[in-house]
Amino acid sequence: MKKLGLSLLLLLSVTTGYGQREYDQFFLEAMVQRQKGNNDAAFDLLRHCLEINPEAPEAYYFLAQYYNALKDGEKSMAYIKKAASLDPDNATYMETLAQAYIRQQDYEAAIPVVEKIYERDKEREDLLEMLFQLYQQVRDYDAAVEVLNRIEAIDGKNERLSVAKSELYTRMGNKKAAIAEMKALAEKFPNDGNYQASYGETLMMNGQLKKALKVYDKILKGEPDNNRVLMSLRTYHQALGHQAIADSLTERVLLNRNATIEEKVQLLRQEISASENAGGDSTRVLQLFDMILKQPQTDEHMAILCASYMNVKKMSKDSISKVLDKALQIAPDNSSARLQLIGYAWENDDMERVISLCQDARQYNPDEMAFYYYQGVAYYRRDSLDAALSAFKNGIGVIKEDSDPAIVSDFYAVMGDILHQKGLVQEAYEAYDSCLQWKDDNIGCLNNYAYFLSESGEQLSKAEQMSFKTIKAEPKNATYLDTYAWILYMMGRYSEAKIYIDQALQNMDESQDNSVIKEHADKIKQKANQ
């Protein structure tokens, strides 16, 4: 702790025996210093307050916070307990003490504190919720049920409370009480299918199968599409090995318009897991997906899940593409599905398909830079330079600070190549500079930039430095070796140039056009041999 200022030290040097007025002065000054953020001064002032009045709960309370900040948990706990014992009617002290006990996982100690707070303020239903959790932690289920009864007296009977009580009774081994609780709820709301279903589930859980099935039959007569009941019946028949019935119920749920997407996904995951455990035959799962996707869909989740499953099962990309197309029909703004389709088209060298997918994407995802990039490159590979340049220029506007540096770098690199082909040399160099600002080791850009500089005979030192990075990264790349050799040649360093052009010749890919490398080699050797 820092030392107090001179004026405060003088105050503290006064002899003890102060009255309430002096205590108040010191406590007020402590609070002022605390408010100003002068915690060292406030800490010392509060300790002096206790010297004046050792029975001051507020001083103990604030000092407990400081000891907690100093990582002295034992002293912090002792001080908050002292504050609460001196002023047990203060809800803040008591709640702080309860939270301290809970942090220490001393739930037994926390319970009476919370009970005292609630006894003084019965408007605080949140305290009852806390007590419910605490009694469960100490496995005092009778007390937990009693707390739920207190909440029920305030809120009335509802499913949440009845289910919670029933579960507690089940843990206690009191099946009769567990069933009776849910039966009372069902009788109170006889026209609510969910409450009736909860009653049936409780009967099922506690071994009264015949009664449960009667309840379910009654519900289904009035609500044939009650998804909750269908799911319970499916689980029941699966447990008994009635697979045909269980499969029929699975299909009813998956085709049920009342079932939520979450319920359907959960059920499909169960089917997928069962399929994998049985050997991995995808036939049944794909049949289920096919049945679902033939129905009108409100969103693309099922199609995406189907495509993901087909990917895992390594099915043909053509078949996966059909499902992804379905997803885009439902949700044309789903960028991940569209990017996957673009990837497939790219692998098939179908640049027309890539261009079409990207063009549509720019309507639905105008801020997604990747679509401008892939469209621009597709046009470039099709030798449509103007269209490619237009795509790239439109895409510049959606580049952001958090954009993927690799994609942005390639974005500018290809743009630079196009500009150079169109004879816009200075603009091309500016694009290359932008590329290297985003990713200074973009090897393709470094090579092209360096080569074009060497061709024009300008900034050869800069070109040599860039080109050297490429051969360090890929020392057996004939193209990069050729570029470096040619730059050295342009700089008049013929002996060095010969070393690298010889390496380029040794590493040439004979399936490619190597005429430029051979032409450079002839010129370099001619100079080197003079």
Side-chain angles (χ1 to χ4, degrees):
M1 288 290 176
K2 296 178 182 177
K3 293 183 179 180
L4 291 173
L6 180 61
S7 60
L8 291 178
L9 286 171
L10 289 172
L11 285 170
L12 290 176
S13 65
V14 183
T15 57
T16 57
Y18 295 97
Q20 184 64 40
R21 183 174 62 82
E22 288 78 9
Y23 170 85
D24 291 342
Q25 289 176 343
F26 275 96
F27 185 77
L28 178 60
E29 180 64 20
M31 294 300 99
V32 169
Q33 295 301 322
R34 176 184 171 88
Q35 186 67 29
K36 290 180 177 180
N38 299 328
N39 292 313
D40 294 330
F43 179 78
D44 286 339
L45 285 163
L46 287 167
R47 288 195 299 175
H48 191 64
C49 285
L50 287 184
E51 293 175 4
I52 299 170
N53 180 7
E55 301 297 308
E58 61 276 6
Y60 283 106
Y61 173 73
F62 285 106
L63 280 169
Q65 296 179 37
Y66 283 120
Y67 282 118
N68 185 60
L70 291 168
K71 308 298 182 185
D72 190 342
E74 185 176 343
K75 203 158 192 175
S76 176
M77 188 66 178
Y79 273 45
I80 193 58
K81 286 170 70 174
K82 183 70 173 177
S85 67
L86 289 169
D87 189 0
D89 291 333
N90 188 303
T92 300
Y93 300 166
M94 296 293 281
E95 283 191 56
T96 304
L97 177 60
Q99 291 296 339
Y101 281 132
I102 291 170
R103 282 196 299 272
Q104 294 181 355
Q105 298 185 3
D106 189 352
Y107 305 121
E108 290 278 5
I111 288 171
V113 178
V114 179
E115 288 282 14
K116 285 179 183 177
I117 301 170
Y118 181 71
E119 188 62 31
R120 292 185 176 89
D121 186 1
K122 295 193 175 179
E123 298 294 319
R124 297 277 307 276
E125 193 172 332
D126 62 304
L127 296 173
L128 292 177
E129 297 287 353
M130 186 184 295
L131 284 169
F132 173 59
Q133 299 298 331
L134 289 170
Y135 280 122
Q136 288 187 91
Q137 289 288 346
V138 299
R139 300 183 186 280
D140 189 344
Y141 298 131
D142 285 324
V145 169
E146 190 274 330
V147 171
L148 290 176
N149 287 334
R150 284 192 262 174
I151 297 174
E152 191 173 85
I154 299 169
D155 295 344
K157 184 174 285 294
N158 61 55
E159 184 179 15
R160 181 181 76 89
L161 296 175
S162 293
V163 169
K165 278 198 278 185
S166 181
E167 288 176 353
L168 286 171
Y169 285 132
T170 299
R171 286 190 217 171
M172 295 160 66
N174 190 344
K175 294 183 179 181
K176 185 176 180 181
I179 293 170
E181 182 64 37
M182 298 310 298
K183 183 179 181 181
L185 179 69
E187 289 175 346
K188 184 174 178 63
F189 303 99
N191 297 320
D192 192 312
N194 282 327
Y195 293 156
Q196 306 303 314
S198 294
Y199 175 42
E201 289 164 2
T202 306
L203 288 166
M204 186 80 72
M205 190 187 310
N206 287 281
Q208 297 197 21
L209 303 182
K210 290 183 178 179
K211 286 185 178 180
L213 292 175
K214 285 183 179 179
V215 171
Y216 287 154
D217 286 341
K218 182 180 178 181
I219 296 170
L220 291 176
K221 284 179 181 177
E223 298 178 52
D225 291 331
N226 187 300
N227 191 59
R228 187 168 176 176
V229 172
L230 295 175
M231 289 286 283
S232 293
L233 286 172
R234 174 182 175 274
T235 302
Y236 166 71
H237 286 292
Q238 276 188 325
L240 293 179
H242 302 160
Q243 197 57 46
I245 300 174
D247 287 347
S248 175
L249 288 164
T250 297
E251 294 169 14
R252 283 182 67 181
V253 172
L254 291 175
L255 299 179
N256 185 356
R257 294 183 179 180
N258 293 332
T260 65
I261 186 67
E262 291 79 11
E263 290 169 334
K264 292 181 179 182
V265 169
Q266 179 186 3
L267 187 50
L268 279 168
R269 292 191 188 282
Q270 291 176 15
E271 289 291 322
I272 291 170
S273 177
S275 171
E276 294 303 305
N277 291 335
D281 186 357
S282 61
T283 305
R284 167 68 177 164
V285 175
L286 290 173
Q287 286 175 346
L288 292 174
F289 273 121
D290 186 57
M291 290 170 54
I292 296 168
L293 293 177
K294 284 179 179 176
Q295 304 294 313
Q297 301 293 307
T298 57
D299 57 50
E300 76 276 24
H301 288 99
M302 279 298 165
I304 296 297
L305 182 60
C306 179
S308 299
Y309 176 72
M310 294 170 78
N311 262 318
V312 170
K313 302 305 290 184
K314 301 187 185 318
M315 300 189 66
S316 73
K317 291 175 182 177
D318 285 344
S319 59
I320 298 173
S321 293
K322 291 177 182 176
V323 178
L324 290 172
D325 281 332
K326 175 83 172 176
L328 285 185
Q329 290 172 17
I330 302 166
D333 61 341
N334 189 302
S335 58
S336 61
R338 193 176 295 275
L339 283 169
Q340 192 171 345
L341 283 169
I342 289 170
Y344 291 158
W346 197 273
E347 289 176 18
N348 292 332
D349 199 29
D350 187 351
M351 294 300 108
E352 291 296 332
R353 172 78 165 145
V354 171
I355 291 168
S356 175
L357 285 164
C358 290
Q359 190 61 42
D360 290 341
R362 287 171 58 177
Q363 298 179 43
Y364 297 105
N365 308 98
D367 295 329
E368 180 56 63
M369 180 189 61
F371 294 122
Y372 298 89
Y373 171 74
Y374 287 117
Q375 187 180 36
V377 176
Y379 275 128
Y380 181 50
R381 289 182 60 175
R382 212 182 63 173
D383 293 326
S384 301
L385 298 187
D386 289 336
L389 191 58
S390 174
F392 281 118
K393 286 185 174 179
N394 286 327
I396 288 175
V398 301
I399 294 174
K400 302 173 184 175
E401 289 185 6
D402 60 349
S403 295
D404 184 339
I407 294 180
V408 178
S409 178
D410 283 344
F411 192 103
Y412 279 113
V414 180
M415 190 174 170
D417 293 343
I418 295 170
L419 288 165
H420 196 274
Q421 285 188 43
K422 290 177 65 65
L424 302 170
V425 176
Q426 193 55 45
E427 291 183 42
Y429 291 167
E430 290 173 2
Y432 289 145
D433 287 332
S434 295
C435 163
L436 296 175
Q437 284 177 9
W438 280 88
K439 193 172 185 288
D440 61 8
D441 61 347
N442 188 312
I443 303 302
C445 174
L446 287 168
N447 177 75
N448 291 354
Y449 196 180
Y451 185 71
F452 293 146
L453 285 173
S454 71
E455 276 194 320
S456 62
E458 58 182 303
Q459 300 185 64
L460 292 177
S461 178
K462 177 180 179 180
E464 189 268 338
Q465 291 174 16
M466 289 192 295
S467 183
F468 185 70
K469 289 181 181 180
T470 70
I471 63 170
K472 289 287 288 183
E474 298 186 26
K476 293 187 177 182
N477 186 304
T479 300
Y480 299 165
L481 289 164
D482 170 65
T483 298
Y484 190 61
W486 187 246
I487 293 169
L488 293 173
Y489 170 82
M490 294 295 292
M491 296 175 78
R493 295 159 60 179
Y494 304 125
S495 297
E496 293 175 73
K498 184 178 182 301
I499 294 171
Y500 288 100
I501 200 63
D502 285 342
Q503 292 180 34
L505 292 168
Q506 292 170 13
N507 289 282
M508 286 191 308
D509 184 348
E510 294 301 333
S511 66
Q512 296 178 352
D513 181 7
N514 298 305
S515 59
V516 173
I517 298 177
K518 291 175 181 178
E519 181 184 338
H520 287 167
D522 289 341
K523 291 182 179 180
I524 290 170
K525 288 178 180 179
Q526 184 178 358
K527 284 287 187 180
N529 293 331
Q530 287 180 356

